[in-house]
Amino acid sequence: MGSAFIILGTSIIAVLLAGYFAQKYLPPPKPKIFGIDLGTTYSCIGMYQAISGNVSILEVQNGHKCIPSVVAFSDGGILVGYEAVAQSEHNPKNTLYDAKRFIGKVFTKQEIQTLQKRYPFKLEADEYGMMYYVVAVNNTVYKITPEMVGGNIIKLLRDTATRNISSPVTKVVMSVPAEFDSRQRNYTEKAASIAGLDVIRAINEPTAAAMAYGLHKHPSLQTILVVDLGGGTLDVSLLMVQGGMFLTQGMAGNNQLGGQDFNQRLLQYLLNQIHKKYNKQLTDKEDKQVLRNQVEEVKLNLTSSDRAFIKIKLHSFDNQIYEERISRTLFEEINKDLFFKVLEPIKTVLEFAELDKNEVDEIVLVGGSTRVPKVRQIIKDFFGKKPNTAVDPELAVVTGVSIQAGIIGGMWPLTVSAVELPTNVKKIQIN
Ligand SMILES: *[C@@H]1O[C@H](CO)[C@@H](O)[C@H](O)[C@H]1NC(C)=O
Ligand SMILES: *[C@@H]1O[C@H](CO)[C@@H](O)[C@H](O)[C@H]1NC(C)=O
Ligand SMILES: *[C@@H]1O[C@H](CO)[C@@H](O)[C@H](O)[C@H]1NC(C)=O
Ligand SMILES: *[C@@H]1O[C@H](CO)[C@@H](O)[C@H](O)[C@H]1NC(C)=O
Ligand SMILES: *[C@@H]1O[C@H](CO)[C@@H](O)[C@H](O)[C@H]1NC(C)=O
């Protein structure tokens, strides 16, 4: 009897050792499940690397990791991402974006009319109030649903992943806004199924962002505040996390605050400067577009340096050269009130959850506009502590969702998976 136990014991050790050496010396298993962030303005796909536990975000189009969430219908076919953006000026009616704002939502006729004013493409709704785009191409009129737009974006991401691992990709984990209801989640899954993908889990974007910082691994109870400031919207979520369990404690947002508003302020300032200098309003569309592109570049440059220079030729002003120096201080001055507005939904969620700001353990910044140094400073000053910024704020969500995909796919090393507890917290809108 005794020797039987010893033999059994030895064989168990042998199996364990084999596993250990396999883990150490065999090539890492190929990732089978990818993580997708289908964003309002940009979308990306990532994969979890076995053994190192690192996440790689794939390059999708000419070196770009994230692609614009834009799909265009043209005589030449369907274009996605940067290719769609490149032809948008010539084909504005058939260049579709903002699908995520419409997906799985029901609209009244009045709401559609109001929305229509903001977009160059045509919007309609079916008898249930489900919105679709109307495009005319090849002398034919098509109804394009938001999930079809999402599906085309996901297809491009899927093809990139398939090429990368040289085998078909069929399963993904996706992120969705925390406030999405079951219908919006359902239609997001439909978008994936149009691209031939099965969504094995959908996790909330703030949860994904927290996971990118490894905050799901904390054994003790943590309170995490996620601030997501994108191109046109601000979303704030308060999460309680313990041992991988996430509970949303509060959500608030402003859907009219983001990087575009900062650009608009600077553009208006420059138009005023040009008016003063030349005694004439700049109205030419092309010149204005060149100026708009420069404004975006100035904003990006001012995150790392304290001054930027604009130098453009104004075609509508006899090709005169317009030059301007813009300091970070000036940029901060003309946007001061907008930057401070970031604190409003933060205060609202804290009040809602009856928490003091000192009780927040971690602050996570998401979205390209949180790169603005003054925005970071304002948040840091409010809490008296530094927010988490080590992960690129535009890649935090796709990084987290890829970690979740790796865990579900059973990749080494084994880590704590995230579980989201159901909550009936509703988002508070502050505009
Ligand atoms: C994983 O990431 C770390 C930190 O960025 C880096 O130092 C390391 O080389 C990476 N490992 C692999 C296998 O890519
Ligand atoms: C329009 O027709 C051309 C030629 O038949 C075709 O290649 C293209 O895909 C069509 N465009 C769309 C959006 O279907
Ligand atoms: C797959 O993606 C990784 C991460 O971006 C990259 O380093 C690698 O070169 C890619 N491989 C192929 C075959 O595209
Ligand atoms: C989600 O979609 C499936 C089929 O696609 C349907 O059976 C189910 O009722 C939908 N759920 C909701 C909440 O819309
Ligand atoms: C932004 O920075 C780049 C690199 O330093 C520079 O080439 C470019 O001219 C700058 N643009 C503006 C508008 O400041």
Side-chain angles (χ1 to χ4, degrees):
M1 277 301 279
S3 62
F5 272 119
I6 291 167
I7 291 165
L8 193 62
T10 320
S11 60
I12 288 172
I13 288 168
V15 168
L16 289 177
L17 277 177
Y20 172 78
F21 282 110
Q23 184 160 343
K24 222 162 170 205
Y25 298 111
L26 284 181
K30 281 191 175 155
K32 293 202 175 63
I33 307 176
F34 284 77
I36 288 183
D37 170 13
L38 183 66
T40 308
T41 47
Y42 285 95
S43 298
C44 353
I45 187 163
M47 65 176 169
Y48 189 71
Q49 301 284 4
I51 300 180
S52 74
N54 287 359
V55 167
S56 304
I57 313 303
L58 305 188
E59 288 182 359
V60 180
Q61 263 177 339
N62 27 346
H64 293 286
K65 287 181 172 169
C66 298
I67 54 159
S69 302
V70 181
V71 173
F73 292 78
S74 75
D75 293 347
I78 300 173
L79 302 168
V80 180
Y82 284 98
E83 289 180 4
V85 170
Q87 56 84 68
S88 62
E89 273 175 49
H90 311 292
N91 188 25
K93 287 186 174 156
N94 295 329
T95 302
L96 314 179
Y97 54 90
D98 268 2
K100 195 171 175 179
R101 292 185 195 257
F102 310 134
I103 199 162
K105 257 181 158 173
V106 173
F107 293 90
T108 64
K109 285 211 166 70
Q110 184 57 50
E111 284 169 330
I112 299 262
Q113 276 174 15
T114 310
L115 278 172
Q116 184 63 75
K117 291 183 191 125
R118 286 173 37 190
Y119 294 110
F121 40 71
K122 191 163 165 49
L123 299 174
E124 282 180 6
D126 67 12
E127 68 214 88
Y128 307 106
M130 304 300 290
M131 210 277 287
Y132 55 84
Y133 304 85
V134 182
V135 305
V137 59
N138 287 346
N139 297 317
T140 316
V141 174
Y142 296 96
K143 291 179 180 178
I144 308 294
T145 61
E147 55 276 17
M148 284 157 83
V149 170
N152 276 293
I153 296 163
I154 295 172
K155 247 182 226 163
L156 181 63
L157 300 175
R158 178 205 65 188
D159 291 347
T160 306
T162 296
R163 261 199 313 279
N164 190 285
I165 60 166
S166 310
S167 72
V169 175
T170 56
K171 293 180 181 152
V172 287
V173 174
M174 285 185 73
S175 52
V176 288
E179 80 260 22
F180 262 24
D181 62 21
S182 56
R183 197 189 307 117
Q184 288 167 300
R185 285 165 199 261
N186 209 351
Y187 276 82
T188 302
E189 290 183 16
K190 240 184 211 174
S193 74
I194 288 172
L197 295 178
D198 197 14
V199 180
I200 53 169
R201 181 87 72 87
I203 61 170
N204 292 338
E205 287 163 5
T207 301
M211 289 184 80
Y213 285 98
L215 300 178
H216 57 296
K217 292 189 251 178
H218 260 288
S220 62
L221 185 68
Q222 297 262 303
T223 301
I224 301 172
L225 185 95
V226 182
V227 180
D228 183 347
L229 184 62
T233 55
L234 167 64
D235 283 298
V236 176
S237 305
L238 193 70
L239 309 172
M240 297 282 243
V241 187
Q242 184 169 26
M245 306 255 242
F246 285 75
L247 179 63
T248 302
Q249 297 280 92
M251 289 184 274
N254 182 340
N255 59 15
Q256 283 161 37
L257 184 67
Q260 288 153 11
D261 302 289
F262 311 155
N263 286 18
Q264 191 55 36
R265 284 277 174 92
L266 184 54
L267 181 69
Q268 198 50 55
Y269 169 84
L270 293 171
L271 287 172
N272 291 344
Q273 293 294 105
I274 290 173
H275 189 187
K276 267 191 233 159
K277 184 168 177 192
Y278 300 101
N279 234 333
K280 192 161 81 164
Q281 294 269 18
L282 183 73
T283 53
D284 183 75
K285 270 193 177 161
E286 245 172 72
D287 279 344
K288 266 187 163 172
Q289 190 53 46
V290 173
L291 194 60
R292 216 172 266 128
N293 294 344
Q294 286 281 302
V295 160
E296 175 69 16
E297 206 178 303
V298 165
K299 182 180 72 180
L300 296 182
N301 281 10
L302 289 178
T303 64
S304 51
S305 51
D306 52 15
R307 54 176 53 87
F309 300 92
I310 277 185
K311 186 173 179 182
I312 57 169
K313 196 187 266 181
L314 298 173
H315 290 280
S316 60
F317 285 11
D318 298 327
N319 286 335
Q320 288 192 78
I321 305 285
Y322 168 63
E323 283 180 282
E324 192 81 58
R325 199 174 92 154
I326 299 136
S327 67
R328 188 189 279 175
T329 316
L330 172 76
F331 180 67
E332 289 172 355
E333 200 49 46
I334 59 183
N335 277 306
K336 195 172 175 187
D337 57 316
L338 294 182
F339 291 166
F340 274 97
K341 270 192 170 182
V342 172
L343 292 180
E344 288 173 6
I346 293 176
K347 290 175 184 162
T348 303
V349 284
L350 290 174
E351 249 166 56
F352 179 84
E354 296 177 357
L355 277 183
D356 187 80
K357 61 185 178 183
N358 299 320
E359 293 174 276
V360 173
D361 299 301
E362 301 282 350
I363 305 141
V364 170
L365 301 187
V366 185
S369 300
T370 59
R371 284 220 191 86
V372 174
K374 189 71 183 176
V375 169
R376 290 189 175 185
Q377 184 69 40
I378 287 170
I379 294 170
K380 179 174 168 253
D381 290 348
F382 178 75
F383 286 100
K385 79 171 93 173
K386 272 183 92 170
N388 286 287
T389 52
V391 179
D392 179 339
E394 277 168 299
L395 300 181
V397 170
V398 69
T399 300
V401 85
S402 301
I403 291 171
Q404 180 72 300
I407 295 166
I408 291 173
M411 312 280 291
W412 302 318
L414 292 178
T415 23
V416 188
S417 174
V419 175
E420 289 170 315
L421 302 175
T423 173
N424 48 16
V425 166
K426 290 265 178 294
K427 183 170 162 185
I428 306 165
Q429 203 64 43
I430 311 164
N431 286 352

